[in-house]
Every structure is written in C-alpha cells, then in structure tokens.
Amino acid sequence: TRTDDVAATLEQVRRLAAAGCEIIRVAVPDQAAARAVGKIKEESPIPVVVDIHFDYKLALEAIAAGADKVRINPGNIGSEDRVKAVADACRQRSIPIRIGVNGGSLERECPEAMVESAFGHIRLLNTFDFDDICVSLKSSSVPITMRAYQLMSQESDYPLHIGVTEAGTVRMGTLKSAVGIGGLLAMGVGD
C-alpha cells in the first residue's frame, strides 16, 4: 500500500501481524508518507521501520514521528552534515539505522565493492558517534548478493538484514529471494 494511505497501510500491517510478521517496513518517498508515519506508528501492533531514499528531511520527520528504525543509504542522502543530522536524531531517540547498500547504485557491482561501500558508510556514521547499525548488501544477482553477505559476515559483527533487491516478477522474485535468503540462512549468515 502507499504509506500515505494510513487506513490501507494499517489494515495491511494488522494482517501481516496476524500472520506472524514481527516488524514492518514502510516506504517514505515523500512528505505525505513521512506525515503518515506517526499515525501508523500509533496504531501498529508491531515495530515500524521507515525506508528513506535521498531526502534526509523525510528521515528526520519520520524519526520525530516515532519510527522504530531507519533505513538509509548514506551515499544518497547527500552531504555529511545531512547524514550527521539523521545520526544525531537517531542517537537521541535510541533508534537503529540500517545501512542499505544496493549493488546497482555502485560504480562496480561486485561483492567486494558492496562490502567496501558498507564499511565506508559505517565509518561515516562512526565519525558522528553512531554505531547502532545493521547492514544490508543487496543486488538483483543472487550469487553477488550471497557472496557480499558472506564477506561481510567474515569481516564484521554488525547484524545483517538479508534480502535480494529488484528480484523481478512475482515468480522470479520469489525464486531469487528463496534461493538467496534461504541459502544464506542455511549457511548461518543473517540476523
């Protein structure tokens, strides 16, 4: 559902919670969605994670509205002062940040570049005295995704949010996600 459709989003959240879902992520692509986060949070039976792309102000508004976790890609939020503003707001409210690295947005889409990008973002957040971090390293390629997560799990103790990005159609997306996520979990990788 569109996040700014509060009634439809809450209905979907309730159905997911009844089915056993323990956490929900909502997209926050614009101000209307950011304004809806508070209303959703008030009635959601499970924690609400906000997914932010590009506009740090949307993250700040969602944080103020009570988001339980924030997903950002520090590389597309903008200048360091914008990343600092998000880190400061999250630290003040004890809200974790998920660093989302997407292979398709890197100059080189390979596992090593994804891990390197994640560590660069971690270092940036650390300079702002922020370390309540989990990491995702997603590619639309299952082998690249799996190798990136394997490397990251060997090189750090940060929790890993696993998944495959832009996996394709419902059928192909289901297959790619099942193989990628299932394979990683079977190897003991992922939190």
Side-chain angles (χ1 to χ4, degrees), residues 70-118:
V70 175
R71 181 271 183 209
I72 61 170
N73 177 340
N76 72 24
I77 288 293
S79 61
E80 287 188 11
D81 60 319
R82 293 177 178 185
V83 176
K84 181 182 186 311
V86 173
D88 289 346
C90 285
R91 185 182 344 85
Q92 291 166 6
R93 291 176 174 79
S94 298
I95 297 172
I97 292 175
R98 175 168 67 93
I99 295 172
V101 175
N102 285 327
S105 64
L106 298 176
E107 192 172 305
R108 295 180 304 128
E109 186 173 359
C110 66
E112 296 79 11
M114 293 172 70
V115 170
E116 181 182 318
S117 177

Side-chain angles (χ1 to χ4, degrees), residues 16 39 47-48 91 101 109 119-120 130 133 139 147 152:
L16 289 163
K39 296 173 190 163
V48 176
R91 185 182 344 85
V101 175
E109 186 173 359
F119 277 117
F130 191 89
I133 298 167
S139 168
R147 186 64 187 136
M152 192 72 188

Side-chain angles (χ1 to χ4, degrees), residues 24 30 36 45 49 57 67 73 75 77 87-88 100 111 119 147 161 172:
I24 191 73
D30 54 34
V49 178
K57 291 177 186 173
N73 177 340
I77 288 293
D88 289 346
F119 277 117
R147 186 64 187 136
H161 167 110
M172 185 55 69

Side-chain angles (χ1 to χ4, degrees), residues 123-186:
R123 283 190 299 275
L124 178 60
L125 289 172
N126 288 168
T127 64
F128 304 130
D129 195 31
F130 191 89
D131 199 50
D132 191 359
I133 298 167
C134 75
V135 177
S136 67
L137 305 133
K138 298 180 183 181
S139 168
S140 58
S141 162
V142 172
I144 289 174
T145 296
M146 291 183 72
R147 186 64 187 136
Y149 279 113
Q150 288 173 306
L151 289 172
M152 192 72 188
S153 72
Q154 294 165 3
E155 296 180 26
S156 89
D157 291 325
Y158 285 101
L160 299 176
H161 167 110
I162 60 174
V164 178
T165 194
E166 298 176 331
T169 61
V170 172
R171 181 175 166 79
M172 185 55 69
T174 301
L175 292 171
K176 282 182 164 184
S177 293
V179 170
I181 294 170
L184 287 165
L185 292 174

